Amino acid sequence: MPIFEYQCRHCGHRFEQLVLPKSPAAECPACGKSDLEQMISLVSVSSEQTRKANLAAAKKRGAAIQKERAHEEHKALHAHYDEH
Ligand SMILES: [Zn+2]
């Protein structure tokens, strides 16, 4: 869905608004004027996607580390028993 970021030329308020083809012209929620400058919205969308991708990657890494740790503990357990 297209979310556009606007900056109000009247009061400088910045806000994001979902814009549908049938949406009326966006208005500043702070002052109600429709004298808006449209910012580049793709930046916030792509950074959100990047953040989610990073989070997923971090989770994967964490799971891999835990698996490895469990494996090491298992090995240590065996080593312990093998000694006796
Ligand atoms: Zn405004």
Side-chain angles (χ1 to χ4, degrees):
M1 277 187 286
I3 296 173
F4 293 111
E5 189 175 3
Y6 293 101
Q7 179 159 26
C8 178
R9 288 197 185 100
H10 187 73
C11 70
H13 183 74
R14 273 174 83 155
F15 62 100
E16 287 177 350
Q17 183 153 323
L18 178 69
V19 178
L20 301 170
K22 285 177 185 171
S23 291
E27 285 181 353
C28 173
C31 69
K33 304 275 185 192
S34 53
D35 188 12
L36 305 170
E37 186 168 357
Q38 190 180 316
M39 316 297 282
I40 298 161
S41 63
L42 284 175
V43 176
S44 65
V45 172
S46 65
S47 70
E48 172 72 5
Q49 279 171 347
T50 307
R51 198 181 63 78
K52 276 182 184 163
N54 284 342
L55 206 68
K59 269 186 187 169
K60 236 182 213 172
R61 261 203 312 274
I65 288 166
Q66 270 186 347
K67 207 171 164 188
E68 198 168 297
R69 193 178 294 152
H71 186 68
E72 286 299 319
E73 277 170 16
H74 190 74
K75 254 177 26 188
L77 207 67
H78 271 282
H80 183 73
Y81 279 121
D82 289 346
E83 276 173 24
H84 299 282

